Structure formats: C-alpha cells, structure tokens
Amino acid sequence: MHPHPTRRSALMAGGALAAGTALPAAASSAAVARETSPAAAGNGWRRLPGILARIRPPTFPDRRFDITRYGAVGDGATMNTAAIRAAITACHRAGGGHVVVPAGRFVTGAIHLRSRVDLHVSEGGILAFSPDPADYLPAVLTRWEGTECYNYSPFVYACGQRGVAVTGHGILDGQARLGPWESWYRTGSLQGPDQRLLRRMGTEGVPVADRVFGAGHHLRPKMVQFNRCRDVLVSDLTIVDPPMWTVHPVLCANVTVRSVTVESLLHNTDGVDAEASRDVHVTGCRFNTNDDCVAVKSGRDEDGHRVGVPSEDIVVQDCDFAGRWGGITVGSEMSGGVRNVFAENCRINPPDFPGHYPVKYPVYIKASKKRGGFIDGVYVRGFTGRGVERDIVFVNMNYNNGEGGTHPVSVRDIHLSHSEIDGARAVLNLVGLETDRLRGVHLSHSVFTGVRGADSVLCTDDLTLRKVFVNGVEVS
C-alpha cells in the first residue's frame, strides 16, 4: 500500500506492480467498496467457542509402565525399539495408561502407539531416533505430501487408534542430520524419481496397496504421524531435527497440540501439518522451522479428490512463529478442501525466540488448478511481530504456475484483523485467476509499519480495508 494513501490508489498501484497494467475492472474500487468484512468475520469468529468446546484432550488411567522395566537402557547406544514396544503392548492390554521414558538417552527405531496409551517422555528423558532407514521397516500406510502410499514408518506412528498421546517435558530427537534423509532431498536424483512416481500413481488411480515404497526407495518419513485416529494429544515436548514434517495428524478428529517446541533445520520440516482432519487445536507452541510453521492440508491432486475429506474447524492460538515460509499456512495440498481455519494471538519472529530464518508470510495460502478443491474461511486476528521477509498476506491461486491443471479451484473469505506488524515488503500479495477469481479478502483494524513497497492484487473480487493504517496513513 505504501506510499498510496487511498484504497483505490493502493489497489491500482498493486495491480500495476504485478501485471504492468491497470487493475482489471472487476477488482476496481467499485468492487472494493462492498465492505462486507465485519459481518462475515463476525459470523466466522462466532463459530470458535463451539469448536473449542468439542476439542477435548484424551485422558488415561493412572497406570505407569516404565520402559526400563522392559529392558530399555538409556545409555545413548543400546537399541531400545523392542523394549519400548513391549511396554506399549503391556499398557494397551492392561486397559491403558502411561508408557514412561525416564531420564536418559534412549535410542530407538519406529514407535507404534496403540489406543489408550500415552507415551510420556519425562524431563531429562530423550528418545533419540536411529538414523538407519531399516529401523523404520516394514512400510506402513501413510500419506506422503498428500498422496497415500506405503512407506517407511514415521518415527512415532499410530493408525486407526483412539485415545493416543505423546507428552512430557522431555525431547524427541530425530537425529535426522546423522542419517541419509537430507541427501535424499538435496541431490534431487534420489527422492525426485520416487516423488514423481508416487504423484503419477495418485493421478492415475493406482490402488494404494500397490504404491509400495520404503526399502530401496527414497521418500523421507514423517516425525510424528497419527493416521485415521481420534482423540489425540501431543503436549509439552521439545521436538528437534525431524527428517520431514514434524507433527502430522491425517484423517484425524479431536486433536490437541499444546506447548510444544519444534526446532527443525532440514528441508520440508513443517511444524504441524493438520491434513484432512477436523477439530484440531494447536496452542501455546513455538516453531523454529525450515518451512511452514502450521500448515492446513487435505490431500494432493487426484488422490486428494479420491479420498475427498476436507480439513475443517482448525484453531491455532498463542503460538510463536519463527519459520522459513508461512506462519499460518493453508495448502498447497488442499484438494480435499479446507474450511474454517482460525488463528489468533500469534507472534511473528519474536525477539525472545529468534529463528534461523525469518517468516516470509505470516498468512500464506497456496492453491492451484492442479490441486483443485476449495478454501473457504480463514480468520486471523491479533497477530503481532516484526521483520517479515516478504508479504504479510500472500494468497496464491497459481502455486507453482498451476502445474498444468484444469480442476476448478475456489479460495474465498480470508480475514485479517486487529494485527500489528513492523517490517514487510508489502501488506498484500493476492493472486487470483481469470477463470477462478479470488473472492473476499478483508483487512480491518490493523497497523503495519516499515512497509517497503506497494501491494500486488490480481483477479480479486470483494477486497475491503477498514481502519487499516500503513506507515502511519489510514488506507480506507
């Protein structure tokens, strides 16, 4: 918006910046004048109490199963996979409780949780995950970048369980830099062919049972994944050095992630990826990531449409974002649809939690005609922060230049209010499509300073600004 003090001139300057021509008539000041934001945002936020009332963390019987009783040794060298699995089995058969990791460094391979089991990592306790891919076999049913397949087990995994948790003030150490995971990604010659093969399988409708990767292949596993689970809790942990996405509930319901710190430096190491899930609450967490902090997803391309389950009623509150890409992100794997995402009272690049990379976009929405699907209702308020690398709000309906897709795609009803951020390239970067226009972006009651350039607005209808100040000038 800077240095243009009126809504009309700001939008026209943004259009000229992006396209080299005047803003298309459909996104002109006449369209902007339809200020529907207060009612629309109010209707959205009124849903929040009901959503939070439904999200209830699971509870567990007061029974404790110390892994050292089953042969685990916390010397940083002994492999403890069998001992931890024995403790989980005993806990599950007893009707549930807490599998306790005491103080010490316990090396392990894949951990598979079962219903009514809380894996509790005590303060001073560390689960150090083996860097050997063989320790994550046999392959399990998973979703890899939004496409279902069989692949290396996530380091902590549950499938089809009810009432599962990973808690405690200890550490999950992925030790990913000691393994081959990053080399699989970085060279492009290892992960790349398997990535393309899996995507082609999803597009062509190859049965999931025939999409078998794992041994002999190079698709990195997730750190913590709950697949088709209900009543999930991840609480109080510090999670460091994951090989890929960190906490990944997929096709889940009633999920709480609270007071978790994520430190990730390798590529594609998002903090939390809520995928095709509903009633998810991420609260009081800190994210120092080499990708998105919190991302909402729902499957990729044709395989996402096949599964056809949206993410909905996702709430993110009171988090610190110090990740490389988006703070609150939707997409790009959103083919199953996304509705009702709420994010409030989060800090961007806070000085007392400096990340390795500044957040590029506090609000980042990614879609394309290759993905198809819809994003309906993203509500953000109370964001504060500084030093945004690029734009405060980036909505891109042409992600990766559309990848040659032809599916209809809809993005609408995006709200940002009561926020204050110092330092950014621009406030808005909005990329709709001529065939599938971006509809309904509403900013209100916000103050942005240190904004270096003009907005970019393309193919966008119903853009409103109300009581928005940029570099000391009201743009309204």
Side-chain angles (χ1 to χ4, degrees):
M1 298 172 188
H2 172 70
H4 310 282
T6 69
R7 185 165 57 229
R8 174 181 171 84
S9 60
L11 294 174
M12 292 188 69
L17 179 66
T21 59
L23 195 69
S28 68
S29 59
V32 170
R34 299 193 299 272
E35 295 195 0
T36 60
S37 57
N43 290 336
W45 286 107
R46 279 197 287 270
R47 300 187 186 103
L48 183 59
I51 296 169
L52 291 175
R54 292 196 304 268
I55 302 173
R56 298 186 178 184
T59 59
F60 300 88
D62 189 18
R63 288 188 284 261
R64 299 171 69 83
F65 299 78
D66 190 310
I67 63 172
T68 59
R69 288 169 42 201
Y70 298 84
V73 180
D75 60 1
T78 301
M79 181 60 72
N80 295 290
T81 309
I84 294 171
R85 288 188 176 181
I88 289 171
T89 298
C91 180
H92 173 72
R93 289 177 175 172
H98 307 274
V99 171
V100 177
V101 179
R105 187 175 184 88
F106 296 86
V107 180
T108 183
I111 295 174
H112 290 183
L113 297 179
R114 302 182 69 180
S115 296
R116 302 284 285 162
V117 173
D118 165 34
L119 178 63
H120 184 84
V121 187
S122 304
E123 188 170 3
I126 301 171
L127 285 173
F129 290 90
S130 166
D132 185 353
D135 290 322
Y136 304 96
L137 295 172
V140 301
L141 176 64
T142 186
R143 216 177 196 186
W144 200 90
E145 286 192 338
T147 303
E148 289 195 315
C149 66
Y150 286 82
N151 190 37
Y152 290 106
S153 173
F155 290 4
V156 178
Y157 176 72
C159 185
Q161 305 301 305
R162 182 162 188 171
V164 286
V166 190
T167 67
H169 292 279
I171 296 172
L172 303 185
D173 185 355
Q175 299 196 120
R177 282 171 289 182
L178 300 181
W181 318 113
E182 182 74 349
S183 69
W184 292 3
Y185 173 92
R186 182 172 292 165
T187 65
S189 62
L190 294 174
Q191 178 178 285
D194 284 328
Q195 181 183 54
R196 291 189 291 272
L197 174 60
L198 176 59
R199 291 177 182 177
R200 186 168 68 251
M201 287 176 163
T203 296
E204 295 175 356
V206 173
V208 175
D210 295 333
R211 307 175 195 172
V212 180
F213 292 81
H217 296 273
H218 301 92
L219 298 182
R220 293 166 295 153
K222 310 298 169 57
M223 182 79 177
V224 179
Q225 185 186 83
F226 303 93
N227 192 323
R228 294 169 167 82
C229 293
R230 183 178 180 87
D231 307 336
V232 174
L233 173 64
V234 182
S235 178
D236 301 313
L237 297 158
T238 296
I239 306 177
V240 301
D241 207 11
M244 199 177 166
W245 298 352
T246 307
V247 178
H248 183 208
V250 55
L251 294 162
C252 289
N254 189 31
V255 177
T256 300
V257 182
R258 70 184 180 204
S259 303
V260 170
T261 297
V262 174
E263 298 271 357
S264 66
L265 294 177
L266 302 189
H267 288 88
N268 297 129
T269 47
D270 297 353
V272 172
D273 293 271
E275 183 170 8
S277 294
R278 60 183 174 86
D279 292 343
V280 177
H281 189 199
V282 181
T283 181
C285 296
R286 304 190 304 166
F287 300 100
N288 175 11
T289 59
N290 192 0
D291 213 308
D292 299 322
C293 296
V294 177
V296 182
K297 302 174 180 288
S298 63
R300 185 185 190 95
D301 304 343
E302 286 77 11
D303 202 59
H305 292 290
R306 176 188 64 82
V307 176
V309 176
S311 275
E312 56 188 334
D313 299 339
I314 313 296
V315 181
V316 181
Q317 295 177 311
D318 304 310
C319 291
D320 288 348
F321 294 149
R324 187 171 194 168
W325 285 93
I328 180 68
T329 298
V330 180
S332 70
E333 300 89 349
M334 41 64 70
S335 301
V338 175
R339 64 169 64 92
N340 298 336
V341 176
F342 299 87
E344 64 177 346
N345 303 329
C346 295
R347 300 192 304 162
I348 309 300
N349 301 323
D352 58 345
F353 184 64
H356 288 87
Y357 309 98
V359 172
K360 285 180 170 63
Y361 311 108
V363 180
Y364 188 17
I365 297 172
K366 302 178 276 187
S368 74
K369 292 186 72 63
K370 176 64 172 171
R371 302 286 184 273
F374 65 88
I375 298 170
D376 189 354
V378 178
Y379 303 89
V380 179
R381 67 184 179 189
F383 272 30
T384 58
R386 65 192 181 105
V388 171
E389 184 175 321
R390 297 183 186 173
D391 315 310
I392 294 169
V393 178
F394 183 22
V395 182
N396 185 6
M397 295 179 66
N398 194 36
Y399 185 70
N400 283 347
N401 294 315
E403 299 175 288
T406 59
H407 293 295
V409 59
S410 171
V411 179
R412 53 172 292 181
D413 227 4
I414 313 301
H415 301 262
L416 173 66
S417 69
H418 299 89
S419 295
E420 186 170 343
I421 294 176
D422 178 36
R425 180 176 66 182
V427 175
L428 293 175
N429 187 356
L430 307 179
V431 183
L433 303 172
E434 290 186 1
T435 55
D436 306 80
R437 299 181 70 83
L438 171 60
R439 302 183 187 277
V441 179
H442 308 292
L443 274 63
S444 67
H445 300 89
S446 294
V447 175
F448 307 113
T449 54
V451 178
R452 302 184 296 275
D455 291 344
S456 175
V457 179
L458 287 176
C459 299
T460 299
D461 298 333
D462 191 17
L463 169 61
T464 69
L465 300 96
R466 185 170 180 265
K467 297 186 178 178
V468 175
F469 292 83
V470 179
N471 294 342
V473 177
E474 182 174 5
V475 182
S476 60

